[in-house]
Amino acid sequence: MTRHVLEIDDLAPEELADVLARAADASPPPVLAGKGVALLFEKPSARTRNSMEMAVVQLGGHPVYIQPSEVGLDQRESIEDVARVFAGYYAVIGARVFRHSSCERMAAAIDGHGVATGVVNMLSDASHPLQALADLLTVRQEFGDLEGRSVAYVGDPNNVARSLGIACGMAGMGFRIASPAGYAFADEDLDRIRASGVEPFVTTDPGAAVSGADAVYTDVWVSMGEEAETKQKLDAFAGYTVDSALMGRAATGAILMHCLPAHDGQEVSREALEAPFSRVFPQAENRMHSARGLLWWLMEQNHG
Ligand code: CP
Ligand code: NVA
């Protein structure tokens, strides 16, 4: 059975720990030697494209960046046909898509034909598992362990927040989230987080969410693809900016995390991003280390 990573809980908790251990190994074997990885983007990217390209190179492979206009998913030809064709060239297909179902369709097309090419979700409207890996790596680097630590997410319950919440549950961590009325997680998202092993603390009060947390996390209020909702969301999220005053209500030694890109003065203040408690740039670097750990693990699963 070909392994795909469309959400972080496509890994078992012990597999997640294995990937994080591999992420810390700067001298991995060249498991991608002579092989290629497709990196297909329907949306812009700074971190994901570059960290994945470098991770592939560090594993001895060849990354190929593919723009949507070159492929025309479901326009020039179906997603299923593109996936089956790419499976003939590439050991892994990474895809950043608007609709999560596009990743699922790629994986299903591959599974239906017994091909060993894994699909990795590089961000969809539902999830961002690569980010969650880097997030856990960052918390572990800071505190030396994950079990018993807690993350407070302040802002939009989006793709990043969902994967983060699930990852926290899988790692034995607490997960707290503050968002305005009308912008809470759907019940099915909360159920998926609960199934990972954590009962999320849900509130509309940012101060209550961050109280005692080891890490305070935020992300943009308007995700890619939601641009038409910009004014409405900026109004709704006013008062949810993470700044030094809010950080002061977290645990002593708490760190600030953000997947980036950041919008100064919206979900986070520039002063907080630059403060001693900020870990956003090591967190961004960890995207490369965690991607390398994941690809190494995935190659052993599908091509070992
Ligand atoms: N955090 C993240 O995924 O960044 P990019 O959108 O730049 O890839
Ligand atoms: N939630 C954001 C994350 C960007 C890395 C988005 O989907 O645009």
Side-chain angles (χ1 to χ4, degrees):
M1 181 77 172
T2 305
R3 298 294 300 270
H4 308 287
V5 183
L6 307 191
E7 178 53 292
I8 192 68
D9 57 4
D10 284 336
L11 304 174
E14 58 275 17
E15 292 173 334
L16 174 61
D18 184 2
V19 168
L20 292 176
R22 290 169 194 253
D25 186 339
S27 302
V31 292
L32 281 168
K35 298 184 189 304
V37 173
L39 302 172
L40 173 59
F41 284 84
E42 287 188 324
K43 303 175 182 175
S45 170
R47 280 143 292 273
T48 304
R49 176 194 174 173
N50 290 281
S51 61
M52 283 290 278
E53 287 210 20
M54 288 310 301
V56 171
V57 167
Q58 290 168 2
L59 293 167
H62 180 70
V64 178
Y65 171 67
I66 303 152
Q67 297 192 44
S69 57
E70 293 169 346
V71 180
L73 287 179
D74 276 345
Q75 292 171 353
R76 188 162 181 265
E77 59 190 321
S78 72
I79 285 177
E80 285 78 7
D81 283 3
V82 170
R84 284 182 64 188
V85 169
F86 280 7
Y89 308 143
Y90 296 114
V92 177
I93 299 173
R96 169 166 285 196
V97 295
F98 283 100
R99 286 182 294 278
H100 190 75
S101 59
S102 298
C103 282
E104 294 172 335
R105 287 172 58 196
M106 286 184 194
I110 285 170
D111 288 342
H113 294 84
V115 186
T117 294
V119 177
V120 174
N121 174 8
M122 300 196 298
L123 181 148
S124 67
D125 53 353
S127 54
H128 199 0
L130 291 175
Q131 185 64 52
L133 285 175
D135 298 341
L136 292 188
L137 190 59
T138 305
V139 173
R140 203 184 64 178
Q141 278 176 349
E142 185 67 27
F143 298 108
D145 55 18
L146 294 173
E147 180 96 30
R149 297 290 170 181
S150 65
V151 176
Y153 180 96
V154 177
D156 189 28
N158 59 16
N159 44 8
V160 167
R162 185 178 116 122
S163 294
L164 177 68
I166 297 169
C168 284
M170 292 173 68
M173 298 167 64
F175 182 65
R176 309 167 69 84
I177 180 164
S179 58
Y183 287 93
F185 265 130
D187 286 344
E188 66 197 55
D189 295 320
L190 287 174
D191 286 345
R192 184 94 176 240
I193 293 170
R194 286 188 186 107
S196 74
V198 64
E199 179 59 42
F201 175 80
V202 181
T203 177
T204 56
D205 178 357
V210 307
S211 177
D214 296 302
V216 177
Y217 199 119
T218 190
D219 180 21
V220 294
W221 292 338
V222 181
S223 285
M224 293 179 280
E226 296 182 338
E227 290 75 10
E229 299 168 48
T230 299
K231 181 174 181 339
Q232 181 190 335
K233 292 193 85 172
L234 295 195
D235 288 348
F237 283 86
Y240 285 76
T241 305
V242 176
D243 56 17
S244 287
L246 189 65
M247 288 298 299
R249 300 184 64 175
T252 304
I255 58 171
L256 169 64
M257 301 176 69
H258 191 312
C259 58
L260 304 179
H263 292 86
D264 296 5
Q266 293 185 19
E267 78 279 0
V268 68
S269 69
R270 172 51 52 179
E271 165 265 337
L273 284 171
E274 303 291 353
F277 51 68
S278 173
R279 295 293 179 277
V280 300
F281 295 108
Q283 183 185 357
E285 178 181 331
N286 281 337
R287 289 293 309 274
M288 177 177 72
H289 303 306
S290 53
R292 186 179 65 235
L294 179 73
L295 291 171
W296 176 9
W297 173 84
L298 190 61
M299 287 304 294
E300 286 190 3
Q301 301 301 312
N302 291 340
H303 299 266

